[in-house]
Amino acid sequence: MTGALRIGMAVVCMLAVIGTGNISMAASKTGKSGKAGPSAAAASVNLVEKKTALESVKSDLEDGLGLTQEQRAKIRAVREEFKARQTAIKSALNIKNEALRQELDSDAPVRAKVEPIVAEIASLQGQLVDNRVDVVFKLREIYTPKQIKKLKERLQQQKKAAGARKKGSKGIKGSKGTKGSKALIKGK
């Protein structure tokens, strides 16, 4: 696959995937008592923040493309279909992962019971990838070549900006002026 094709697929896939975070998944994670704990609430808030950020990225990428109302409607329909399929597959995947965990956590796990579950999980993961690839091709049919070119350029700009931000943040570890964990242990 050429670099340009890979970037093009990434752009269109990114646009398709943006905003499809499964917020209900975090909200449905519960402890043994059946009540969502603080980590589930924090995960839910984090997903909402990510969804908002991704919507902003989608909006930034699509602004200035000159999309017609018809294109917008088609894109919206493709994304909704994609989201519905992804949600159904992810739900089935969660169920199979839980079945696998239960079998492996049992007192005497049996390989013959685990292998079919693993095969189903692999199949569902493949379906997730197939769905993403399918949406890439559907969206490429909607955008004009000029719009795809603009999307590629904007995605490259955003990648450069994100890379620069990431490269600039070194965090606490290794920064000058800190004595590190050994100094804390020694009481210095």
Side-chain angles (χ1 to χ4, degrees):
M1 184 181 303
T2 68
L5 180 59
R6 191 173 322 139
I7 290 172
M9 287 183 67
V11 168
V12 178
C13 189
M14 182 177 175
L15 289 173
V17 176
I18 288 174
T20 61
N22 192 353
I23 295 171
S24 62
M25 188 173 102
S28 69
K29 288 187 179 182
T30 59
K32 290 184 179 181
S33 66
K35 296 181 181 176
S39 61
S44 181
V45 169
N46 192 19
L47 283 172
V48 170
E49 290 171 358
K50 285 181 181 179
K51 184 174 181 179
T52 303
L54 289 174
E55 287 294 330
S56 173
V57 168
K58 177 182 74 171
S59 176
D60 290 347
L61 281 172
E62 289 184 346
D63 284 348
L65 291 181
L67 295 174
T68 65
Q69 290 299 337
E70 182 182 355
Q71 282 179 308
R72 290 181 190 275
K74 287 180 180 179
I75 291 167
R76 189 176 308 112
V78 167
R79 286 187 181 139
E80 287 172 5
E81 178 186 346
F82 168 79
K83 184 177 179 178
R85 285 191 303 198
Q86 288 293 89
T87 301
I89 296 168
K90 286 178 181 181
S91 177
L93 189 57
N94 288 337
I95 291 167
K96 292 299 174 184
N97 278 321
E98 182 59 32
L100 178 62
R101 269 190 295 278
Q102 286 178 357
E103 184 59 36
L104 291 174
D105 288 344
S106 70
D107 292 336
V110 178
R111 182 175 289 275
K113 288 184 179 179
V114 169
E115 288 175 347
I117 298 171
V118 170
E120 290 178 50
I121 289 171
S123 173
L124 289 166
Q125 289 171 336
Q127 289 176 34
L128 288 172
V129 173
D130 289 343
N131 195 28
R132 284 192 299 266
V133 170
D134 184 45
V135 81
V136 167
F137 285 103
K138 285 182 178 181
L139 289 174
R140 285 187 73 90
E141 292 173 1
I142 297 170
Y143 292 115
T144 66
K146 188 176 180 180
Q147 289 169 332
I148 292 172
K149 183 179 178 184
K150 282 183 181 179
L151 281 170
K152 287 179 187 180
E153 291 168 358
R154 288 178 182 208
L155 183 63
Q156 286 177 336
Q157 290 170 352
Q158 286 186 348
K159 282 184 178 182
K160 285 180 185 178
R165 284 190 306 271
K166 192 173 185 181
K167 192 174 184 178
S169 65
K170 294 181 181 179
I172 296 172
K173 187 176 181 180
S175 59
K176 293 183 179 182
T178 61
K179 296 181 180 181
S181 59
K182 289 184 181 179
L184 292 173
I185 293 171
K186 292 180 181 179
K188 294 183 178 180

